[in-house]
Amino acid sequence: KTRLMKRKYSNFADTAVPASAPAAEAADEGEFEIIKNKRFIMHPMTPEEAILQMNLLNHDFFVFYDPDLGATNVVYRRKDGKYGLLSPELK
């Protein structure tokens, strides 16, 4: 499994993290460190157009704005090769 993880993720380390590491302490306190913040422009599109765009970019998911629903949605590629759609709903 380690060999597969090293192939898939270039930053995979095979070393154990001690329990007293600062990251472990921050996770215990409920704090998370955001190391990257990325902004992007969302164009209105249908889920079918979003799937085409996702495939063109060779990504596993794609965030888009659906004007019919008036909401931000996510399409993603499933392990079986089919696609899924995440549509948020506010309570």
Side-chain angles (χ1 to χ4, degrees), residues 20-59:
S20 63
E25 290 174 9
D28 290 341
E29 296 173 5
E31 297 176 18
F32 298 99
E33 181 184 6
I34 297 174
I35 58 171
K36 184 175 181 180
N37 186 3
K38 184 175 182 180
R39 296 182 181 272
F40 58 94
I41 298 172
M42 285 197 309
H43 298 286
M45 59 181 69
T46 64
E48 290 80 13
E49 291 171 328
I51 290 172
L52 290 172
Q53 187 69 28
M54 177 182 67
N55 289 335
L56 284 173
L57 295 171
N58 198 22
H59 289 173

Side-chain angles (χ1 to χ4, degrees), residues 42-47 49 64-73:
M42 285 197 309
H43 298 286
M45 59 181 69
T46 64
E49 291 171 328
F64 69 101
Y65 178 78
D66 189 346
D68 296 335
L69 298 176
T72 301
N73 295 330

Side-chain angles (χ1 to χ4, degrees), residues 47 61-64 66 69 71-76 83-89:
F61 68 93
F62 191 79
V63 179
F64 69 101
D66 189 346
L69 298 176
T72 301
N73 295 330
V74 177
V75 290
Y76 63 96
Y83 300 98
L85 175 66
L86 298 174
S87 301
E89 221 175 80

